[in-house]
Amino acid sequence: MKRIRSQSRIRKRTFVVTGLILLAILVVGSAVAFYASSLIGPADLVRFTVDEGPSRTSVLGSGISLDQAESSNFLQDASFEPLVFRKALTIYSGDATTLTVSSEDASAGQYGDGFFDGASARVMTLTADGLALKKTARVSQYGINRVGIFQSVKLPGDTPADLAILAFARRDEMSLAVGEKGLVIRNLTGQMPEIAESGLNADLTGACATTQGFLVCSSQGDLLFSVDGQDWQSWFTFDQNPLNAVAASTDQDYYVAVGDHGKIVTGQTGQGTVINSQTTADLHDIAYGDEHFVAAGQNGTILVSGTGAIWRQIQLPKTIHWQAIDFRDGRFVLAGNDGAVAISEDGKNFRLLDSASEQNYTDIVMLSKQQLIVLDEKGGFAVSNNSGSSWLKSGIETGMQSRVIALAGKDKILSADAAGNLGLAQLVAEIQLDSPLKEGQYQAGDLIFLEKTATSIPDSYLAAEPQQAFYQDPWDFFGNGGSRRTDEEAAPGGGKSSLLVQSTGSGKDQAAAAIASQVIDPELIQNAKQNEVFQIELWMKQSDVADRSVQVWLSGPFKSIGTTFTNVGATWKKYSYTFVLPIQASGLSSRETRLNISINSGSLWLDRISLFRGTESSELLSASFQTEISQIQPEFVRLGFLSIGGQYARQESWAAGLGNENPYLGNTGWTIKPGNSMYAALKLVKSSGADPWLVIDSFTSEAEMLNLIEYLAGPISEPYGKIRLEHGAATPWTEQFNRILIEIADSVNVLQSDQQRADFVNLMIQTISQSPYYRQIKGKLVFVDGMTYSDGVVLSTADYHASDLTGLTLPDKTQAISDAFLAYYDQIPRNPEKLAQNWSELMRTAQLRQNGTTLPDLAALTELLLRDLGNQSNLSNLALPARDSQEWQKAWPAAASIAAACAEGVPLEISDTSVAATAKVNAYGFKTDQQVAIALTNLSDTLANCQLNTELPIQKASVYKYDAQGELLSRQTLKKSDSRITVLPGGVVLIVKDLTE
């Protein structure tokens, strides 16, 4: 029994011990689980660990990029500045006074012969030390579509000698030449021309392309066809009389061949039929266009037919021996003896053009409806760029006495001489300067920059010819007399020109008034408040105006409002008128609202006209626009709208006051881009508490760059310091800002190689360093290389490089942003001189494009700005869309504001320590001596609960909660550093702790 009891006692003790151990394990496990749960939290809690990390390199911050500004003036083109035309071209060749460039580039479908006559010219050359100024001069002659120097076409070794080429044809990329004794050469403009066997010994006199291949005629009446120009088959014509030319329709495969004694052969594929043309004159050439064949020849013969079967003869008042015909862009052109040229728009009605030439023309080529090249019997060329109204003899020695020519592609000419030589010449523009180089000559690769201004559209502006109304300026004229822009007069601070209004009246009859008028965009004033005050300002002077009186009024769907300015003087003075817009103006869209200025006699000069709200200033950008930017509080404002050295801004136009922007002829017609005033732009930056980011484009000269630095840093005793003072800024701008970023860019791809791009950046930096003010301001200047390098390597000495981040809004926002960043990383060039951790890349512009009606939300835009800061990017700029565009929404300025407030100082190390980490909820943080800032972004479509684990002192931080549309919903205080924070779908939470409190 004792034994049994003893065993029982042992079993109980074991059970008790085991139970105690299990209990201990449970207690410890519960404690560990509790601790783990306190660290990890529930499965839907996104937890971030935030540390300072080892890096101590500060980022530059986050700003905005503005490509458009908003003027306070409701009027467009109100200072009547001249139109500006700028062009940069690469030189092909030249001597001491004359150079050649690509004719296609020189014309660009816009600039006719003589367009840049009188323009200023600046030639830059590439030296061993980089880009250098070679010459400044004026253009004495600007001639386009000149035939350049012929380069010999290398023919196969088995090409028969001394056989003349008689005709050319081209189909797609295949070019063909035919000539004496059955000669056929294919692939003329390719790398390896070839001799093809025609099977004939007769001279091949004409050739054309068909929809199926090539068709050739001969001096013995043969017709040959080939699909590829290599293998030929004969088509029977029943006649062995000579044929001189052949043409084919572009639709039903009709062909017509013409020859001596009025011979015509026509047909479709295969056998041809000889037609009675009712003429015995030799027919020299034929062309097809607009469903018509037109043949021409001796004794003024012009024949027209639809199918080639029935022909009608056209009679002109003068008998011409026609030698050649061409068709392009709906127009037929004939060329003949004694410089005769005839044109037809329909192939039925021809008009003979006046010609001062006595040369006999033997061939003609049309480049376009307006641009023609003729060849004379001596091998000379004449060019017309105005549809044959005038002709200019080319002065270029082509190196070849051409006998027959043809267009080879869009900008090259094929030529053959009587000895069987073939040449290929580039169509070039010939530019003569008014003074020679003192040493050397212009060389291939040199760059020439041209600038021309005009108070009206030049006659040689080709683009305006078919659509003149498209290029009308905003100012209309009504009444008796007329108006014109004049560069003989300008008001003080009014730029280069003004508007002259002239009346033919005597001053007694109101009906004889001369009125300058402009329509006001109703959207600008339709939100006018009751009793809101508006103001009109203008500069005027007059001559012989009766009673020295000028009427100014606003007309529209309300009773006209205005005044009469009396005693207007003969010298420039500023006048103003203040008024209240009637409340009926709420219906402004129902009828035009116009500003009108009128005189009844004499002459009136107008300049610097402004119509604006009484709370605005005509010298500054729109107050609401400035307020919008100021509320963002960016670190930098990239002034993309301020065109320094841009293609569409007059040189140094940035130095003028607001409103003196020059118009230019763009894709939307007569265009004026507001805000091109350095003073107004820098005042905008100053009011927002930011630093400026200037953009220097590729048309900037060294002289302009030095003047810009003088404007920014020079004393008021110097010319550009004085201009700054006249604008209203006595203190140098370099003393008003902490830093000024200077980006050197090439927005229109003027520079063709990586070396040219880098050399231009270095030239601008070197030029700035040569300024007498550089030593005192160099600590404030930051140089940014804004070039795109083909080889992916930065070659300049700039402090930073800048690239653009652009993406498309997608339903999957995470994927959209990832795609945008991958493209961004791919375009960032390497910089062998700078280590990766230096973050030498700046995000010049960041944007998500609208996708249909889908707009980016706040979280996505904020992600663009913060995701890469401190990795490869040192600064991010949000590219703000125009406020009147469909893309604009509150999320844009809200994202810029959040990023600007957050991205200051050293990036914090943040990791997602959630149970299941997600890429759709992210955190970004930065720390300075003054603050800690953390932004939480939610790219998902559901609510996100977040928690921060950090030793940073963020308790009692301010918490700003935004929704997806950028609306600030609340501002709270973070009670504990690990408090749970809710982030709305597409929304952002910004946490800011002021460390100075």
Side-chain angles (χ1 to χ4, degrees), residues 76 131 190 209 222 236 254 372 416 482 494 752 775 894 907 936 963 987:
Q76 297 184 64
L131 277 177
D222 302 288
F236 190 59
Y254 286 109
L372 315 172
Q752 299 298 305
R775 184 184 296 274
L936 304 172
D963 65 10

Side-chain angles (χ1 to χ4, degrees), residues 15-175:
F15 176 78
V16 171
V17 171
T18 302
L20 291 173
I21 292 172
L22 291 174
L23 180 62
I25 291 173
L26 289 173
V27 171
V28 173
S30 298
V32 171
F34 176 79
Y35 178 70
S37 67
S38 70
L39 289 176
I40 300 175
D44 64 345
L45 183 65
V46 183
R47 186 175 183 85
F48 296 102
T49 298
V50 183
D51 297 312
E52 288 197 57
S55 173
R56 301 305 299 171
T57 303
S58 296
V59 297
L60 289 178
S62 185
I64 56 175
S65 180
L66 301 175
D67 285 335
Q68 298 184 64
E70 296 178 19
S71 173
S72 58
N73 193 356
F74 295 163
L75 300 172
Q76 297 184 64
D77 197 11
S79 195
F80 311 104
E81 289 301 277
L83 289 160
V84 66
F85 303 91
R86 303 184 91 176
K87 191 72 178 170
L89 299 162
T90 301
I91 295 173
Y92 282 178
S93 62
D95 52 31
T97 58
T98 304
L99 54 91
T100 63
V101 299
S102 164
S103 190
E104 182 184 12
D105 292 343
S107 173
Q110 297 176 308
Y111 311 119
D113 214 274
F115 184 90
F116 281 104
D117 287 357
S120 62
R122 176 169 53 93
V123 180
M124 304 293 293
T125 190
L126 188 61
T127 69
D129 297 324
L131 277 177
L133 180 64
K134 193 169 193 174
K135 178 72 174 176
T136 58
R138 290 278 173 184
V139 176
S140 60
Q141 184 176 337
Y142 186 80
I144 64 171
N145 294 328
R146 305 299 195 259
V147 179
I149 299 173
F150 283 105
Q151 304 297 320
S152 296
V153 175
K154 187 176 181 180
L155 298 176
D158 59 345
T159 304
D162 300 326
L163 295 183
I165 297 297
L166 304 178
F168 295 108
R170 182 180 180 86
R171 182 173 182 267
D172 298 328
E173 297 303 314
M174 176 59 69
S175 53

Side-chain angles (χ1 to χ4, degrees), residues 73-75 78 535-538 595 608-612 618:
N73 193 356
F74 295 163
L75 300 172
Q535 189 169 344
I536 297 171
E537 288 183 356
L538 69 165
L595 176 71
R608 297 186 65 186
I609 308 174
S610 300
L611 170 61
F612 54 96
S618 61

Side-chain angles (χ1 to χ4, degrees), residues 491-492 537-541 572-574 605-608:
E537 288 183 356
L538 69 165
W539 286 74
M540 296 187 291
K541 60 173 286 190
W572 285 107
K573 289 184 180 179
K574 181 180 178 181
W605 288 265
L606 298 167
D607 206 355
R608 297 186 65 186

Side-chain angles (χ1 to χ4, degrees), residues 891-914:
W892 289 90
S897 179
I898 292 168
C902 181
E904 294 184 29
V906 179
L908 299 173
E909 287 196 354
I910 300 179
S911 58
D912 187 343
T913 55
S914 308

Side-chain angles (χ1 to χ4, degrees), residues 660-729:
N660 285 317
E661 298 85 4
N662 58 263
Y664 61 92
L665 305 181
N667 294 332
T668 57
W670 190 284
T671 304
I672 303 95
K673 193 174 181 181
N676 195 38
S677 164
M678 180 70 74
Y679 172 75
L682 293 182
K683 287 290 286 185
L684 167 73
V685 178
K686 184 69 177 176
S687 67
S688 67
D691 286 328
W693 177 327
L694 305 178
V695 182
I696 310 301
D697 217 333
S698 49
F699 280 82
T700 307
S701 68
E702 296 163 87
E704 183 174 15
M705 192 74 254
L706 289 172
N707 291 337
L708 172 63
I709 297 302
E710 184 174 285
Y711 180 88
L712 295 174
I716 59 175
S717 57
E718 297 300 320
Y720 282 82
K722 183 179 180 181
I723 292 174
R724 186 187 67 240
L725 174 64
E726 291 171 350
H727 290 162

Side-chain angles (χ1 to χ4, degrees), residues 387-401:
S387 302
S389 296
S390 61
W391 295 86
L392 291 171
K393 185 78 172 178
S394 176
I396 298 175
E397 291 294 334
T398 64
M400 189 175 191
Q401 187 170 349

